[in-house]
Amino acid sequence: MSNNKRLAEILNRIADFLELKGEVVYKINAYRRAARAIESISEDIEELCRQNRLYEIPGVGERIAKKIREFVETGTIRKYEKLRKEFPEELVKLLDVPYLGPKTLKLAYEKLGVRNLEDLKRVLEDGSLARLPGMGPKKVENIKKGLELYLRGSDRMLLGEALELVEHVISGIKEHCQKVAYAGSLRRMKETVGDIDILAVGESKPIMDAFTSIEGVTEVIAKGDTKSSILIGTRQVDIRVVEPHQWGAALQYFTGSKEHNVHLRELAKEKGLKINEYGVFKVDTGERIAGESEEEVYECLGLVWIPPELREDRGEIEAAMRGELPQLLDYGDIKGDLHIHSNWSDGGFSIQDIAKAAEKIGYSYIAITDHSKSVKIAHGLDEKRLLKQIEEIDRINRALNGRFVVLKGIEVDILPDGSLDLSDDVLRELDWVVASVHTRFNEDATERIIAAMENPYVTCIGHPTGRMLFQREGYPVDWEKVFEAAAKTGTCLEINAHQDRLDLPDYLVKAAKEAGVKFAIGTDAHHVGQLWMMKLGVGVARRGWLTKEDVVNCWDVERVKNFAKAKRR
Ligand code: DGT
Ligand code: CA
Ligand code: CA
Ligand code: ZN
């Protein structure tokens, strides 16, 4: 684990402990903010500390800087070690159960003696939690749901987490490999990943030795000539070493999905062929006819190569047979990011710094979309501050002189009655208006979303389902109605690329496209270190069968502006 990640974990834990102790909110938030910032910066914290540059990290004041120096020098923080001894370890883990806030946990701990997962299950089942003061039946229902999500979630990881982990593993073995790649659900860019599957070509012994001694290995489950498995933390990574002439067949087989492979095997059978991880064979003679590349495996079956993101047996094999696979947008096709928060609301960086970072990525524009006033914890903008921000962006754009464009935007809250949190008079001044639901997650949001789309200034609906992976299901929505209204009003739907959201989910993206809807991919970044998540959003878009035409941020900036304007005429 990197220094930054470890430090962020410790700071978050301190916040958890303080919350359990009932400390004042601002102290707790200071630790959380610093943890978030540290997790997302790309430079090593030790290096920053050595260069006396800790003050550059947003949210790090003198008090926390002192703790960071202590961490760099000693590998831990005394305050953390001290707090840790005050609570049972098992109890602290329960802080990660969705809907079970630290306040409730504290109460359950003190009044019912809840110390671990088993205890929590018990007090939920026997009704004693429900009898605690302030616990309505709805709250208990939510905690039950949260516990289910928690139990389900803990054996899978987020796509973003899996990508970071696989990079770490591959960088530890690649010098020994002639070829190395990851397969499985990760290569298909599925939103969550069970285990990581790696394939390699090369001399087996040095590869397996390097693999089983990678930094962070907590257990070697199996070590063999062709196959090994390790745990890093609680995450499993499998590797297989294959012969060069088997590479394509193995990559195809281990990329899956299982459903896609089952369907391919049926096709093969009809053609008198057999397909497995070693190659494609003629059934009658046993002759091997393909296997070195994935392309030739598909070709034997009369198909063009199918992009991994489509391999879910959702019609891609039939489309490939007809020669009608979509020309998917590519990871390099993105010209800008359309959902970013700055330090005007709850983001960590100034608009200039974000623009600089985005230009470095190779974008030609971004939209700054801070929160609106009703989102108070995020320090949302009211009309007056938004007008100020607009002036500031105009100034920045003049200085950029057309080399790069900052679009004036907002993430305006959709209020419970479907009206917006800011007046049309100020929305009119903006280039890009994202409207999002942030409240009442248990109520059907169909009418709210449709009402927002009927406003001529709303360009995009942000994180349309409201879900958070492993944490919260979205609000109920009648998607057919929403897709129809989006197409009719010319409002696009967001693919929120943040690793915790990936919202819209891929299957709804595909359905929306079929209803004629356009999409905008936005990272919802609060720090420049989160802009990389764009590729997760592109993965979702590809899994939803989208082309460059479907995704507005594959277009140039004039066309993006015109898309927003078209709705206002
Ligand atoms: P995960 O790890 O749960 O996110 O999902 P996958 O798709 O990575 O599944 P995993 O790791 O169990 O296996 C990797 C791939 O290997 C899978 O996508 C397809 C292939 N595979 C594994 N077991 C079978 C099987 O029994 N039959 C077939 N046809 N393919 C299999
Ligand atoms: Ca897997
Ligand atoms: Ca596996
Ligand atoms: Zn939002």
Side-chain angles (χ1 to χ4, degrees):
M1 191 184 316
S2 74
N3 280 330
N4 297 26
K5 208 157 185 177
R6 175 74 191 138
L7 174 60
E9 263 187 26
I10 292 181
L11 294 174
N12 265 323
R13 272 305 175 224
I14 293 179
D16 290 341
F17 292 135
L18 295 178
E19 229 168 334
L20 272 179
K21 286 173 75 101
E23 258 292 359
V24 286
V25 174
Y26 77 89
K27 277 196 188 168
I28 298 165
N29 286 345
Y31 281 102
R32 293 222 191 280
R33 206 173 317 122
R36 261 206 314 272
I38 287 161
E39 212 169 15
S40 63
I41 53 179
S42 51
E43 282 173 277
D44 188 77
I45 197 73
E46 222 176 304
E47 195 56 36
L48 280 175
C49 190
R50 208 172 9 247
Q51 300 170 359
N52 265 325
R53 287 169 57 214
L54 290 179
Y55 65 89
E56 287 179 16
I57 307 170
V60 171
E62 190 39 43
R63 186 199 289 264
I64 290 186
K66 224 167 106 186
K67 300 258 183 309
I68 297 176
R69 278 182 227 114
E70 191 187 337
F71 170 80
V72 169
E73 278 159 26
T74 68
T76 186
I77 296 173
R78 266 174 324 217
K79 189 183 177 88
Y80 163 73
E81 298 297 337
K82 184 165 156 284
L83 284 165
R84 205 162 78 149
K85 293 198 189 95
E86 292 180 33
F87 302 97
E89 206 172 309
E90 298 273 282
L91 177 79
V92 177
K93 281 198 196 137
L94 295 183
L95 279 166
D96 297 331
V97 175
Y99 303 113
L100 178 67
K103 272 207 201 92
T104 307
L105 184 58
K106 184 167 184 263
L107 210 60
Y109 172 58
E110 287 168 354
K111 300 267 190 267
L112 303 172
V114 169
R115 301 169 73 85
N116 55 38
L117 206 58
E118 289 311 305
D119 293 344
L120 179 64
K121 277 187 200 155
R122 175 178 50 80
V123 299
L124 277 168
E125 272 159 29
D126 69 12
S128 52
L129 189 73
R131 285 191 293 274
L132 285 179
M135 294 295 299
K138 190 141 209 178
K139 215 162 159 185
V140 174
E141 232 8 81
N142 276 338
I143 295 173
K144 278 188 185 160
K145 223 189 311 170
L147 184 61
E148 231 172 81
L149 284 168
Y150 176 79
L151 294 173
R152 210 177 333 138
S154 51
D155 58 356
R156 298 186 69 79
M157 57 196 129
L158 296 171
L159 176 61
E161 185 192 343
L163 277 173
E164 280 183 281
L165 185 55
V166 83
E167 261 173 46
H168 168 69
V169 174
I170 287 183
S171 72
I173 57 174
K174 68 165 179 258
E175 60 174 311
H176 306 289
C177 305
Q178 285 162 34
K179 267 185 183 172
V180 60
Y182 55 84
S185 51
L186 181 53
R187 182 161 179 244
R188 303 199 311 279
M189 295 292 278
K190 208 172 148 176
E191 62 197 24
T192 65
V193 170
D195 65 5
I196 292 178
D197 306 281
I198 295 178
L199 291 178
V201 169
E203 198 190 329
S204 168
K205 184 160 176 356
I207 296 176
M208 294 309 192
D209 286 346
F211 180 70
T212 50
S213 55
I214 276 166
E215 193 198 331
V217 172
T218 43
E219 195 186 325
V220 176
I221 300 172
K223 187 178 176 187
D225 286 339
T226 58
K227 212 172 128 174
S228 297
S229 291
I230 53 173
L231 288 184
I232 296 187
T234 58
R235 306 308 191 191
Q236 182 166 337
V237 187
D238 298 340
I239 190 169
R240 282 179 184 76
V241 176
V242 303
E243 297 295 325
H245 68 274
Q246 299 168 340
W247 175 256
L251 194 57
Q252 196 292 314
Y253 181 90
F254 290 110
T255 296
S257 67
K258 200 169 159 183
E259 292 74 17
H260 175 88
N261 286 356
V262 166
H263 195 155
L264 280 192
R265 275 203 301 269
E266 281 166 14
L267 265 191
K269 215 163 157 190
E270 287 166 21
K271 292 185 183 299
L273 299 172
K274 196 181 109 187
I275 169 175
N276 59 28
E277 63 264 53
Y278 308 110
V280 184
F281 303 85
K282 285 190 175 161
V283 173
D284 48 5
T285 62
E287 184 197 349
R288 185 175 184 280
I289 59 167
E292 190 167 349
S293 73
E294 269 195 332
E295 282 81 358
E296 64 182 35
V297 171
Y298 282 101
E299 200 187 309
C300 286
L301 303 173
L303 303 171
V304 291
W305 180 81
I306 299 176
E309 294 90 337
L310 297 182
R311 300 183 193 170
E312 299 290 346
D313 199 23
R314 290 180 188 161
E316 72 280 4
I317 293 174
E318 292 83 349
M321 264 191 269
R322 292 194 306 266
E324 286 173 10
L325 279 179
Q327 184 68 44
L328 300 182
L329 79 154
D330 219 327
Y331 292 90
D333 289 333
I334 297 296
K335 293 190 159 74
D337 190 330
L338 292 170
H339 189 158
I340 302 179
H341 296 269
S342 76
N343 59 5
W344 284 67
S345 66
D346 59 345
F349 285 82
S350 70
I351 299 172
Q352 280 99 333
D353 285 346
I354 299 166
K356 218 185 283 167
E359 207 184 343
K360 214 165 132 191
I361 291 175
Y363 291 162
S364 52
Y365 56 88
I366 51 170
I368 294 295
T369 56
D370 279 309
H371 286 291
S372 63
K373 61 195 175 197
S374 74
V375 189
K376 292 209 176 58
I377 45 164
H379 201 46
L381 305 183
D382 58 15
E383 278 84 355
K384 215 168 125 205
R385 286 180 64 223
L386 180 54
L387 287 170
K388 270 217 152 98
Q389 189 187 58
I390 288 172
E391 281 175 26
E392 161 98 357
I393 293 179
D394 281 335
R395 251 195 317 276
I396 292 171
N397 279 331
R398 274 196 298 277
L400 285 166
N401 208 4
R403 191 181 75 219
F404 182 90
V405 177
V406 180
L407 294 173
K408 293 168 274 190
I410 190 81
E411 181 179 10
V412 63
D413 213 52
I414 305 175
L415 301 173
D417 66 358
S419 66
L420 301 176
D421 192 25
L422 292 168
S423 71
D424 285 2
D425 284 342
V426 53
L427 295 181
R428 182 176 292 130
E429 304 298 319
L430 299 170
D431 303 307
W432 191 259
V433 176
V434 179
S436 310
V437 169
H438 290 119
T439 50
R440 304 206 183 182
F441 293 101
N442 293 318
E443 290 170 23
D444 188 293
T446 310
E447 295 311 318
R448 268 173 101 178
I449 293 174
I450 290 176
M453 290 196 290
E454 276 162 1
N455 181 304
Y457 302 106
V458 169
T459 350
C460 177
I461 298 296
H463 42 73
T465 76
R467 74 159 175 188
M468 299 280 277
L469 288 162
F470 304 146
Q471 294 173 51
R472 179 174 82 203
E473 283 170 59
Y475 27 74
V477 172
D478 183 335
W479 291 111
E480 210 172 308
K481 279 190 189 160
V482 165
F483 295 160
E484 191 191 313
K488 200 181 85 203
T489 58
T491 313
C492 59
L493 296 180
E494 181 174 71
I495 296 176
N496 190 295
H498 195 286
Q499 63 175 352
D500 290 331
R501 292 188 181 271
L502 297 181
D503 181 6
L504 276 186
D506 49 33
Y507 69 98
L508 287 176
V509 169
K510 186 160 186 272
K513 176 192 162 130
E514 283 157 13
V517 175
K518 299 281 184 213
F519 303 84
I521 311 181
T523 57
D524 209 346
H526 285 66
H527 292 90
V528 295
Q530 292 170 340
L531 295 173
W532 68 270
M533 290 189 197
M534 180 58 75
K535 73 172 162 215
L536 309 179
V538 175
V540 173
R542 287 169 61 89
R543 287 175 62 82
W545 294 51
L546 302 190
T547 67
K548 289 203 286 191
E549 265 312 288
D550 300 317
V551 176
V552 295
N553 39 331
C554 294
W555 307 348
D556 62 35
V557 73
E558 281 312 311
R559 191 167 168 208
V560 174
K561 283 186 179 172
N562 285 334
F563 176 84
K565 280 186 198 149
K567 203 182 152 180
R568 303 178 182 186
R569 278 197 284 271

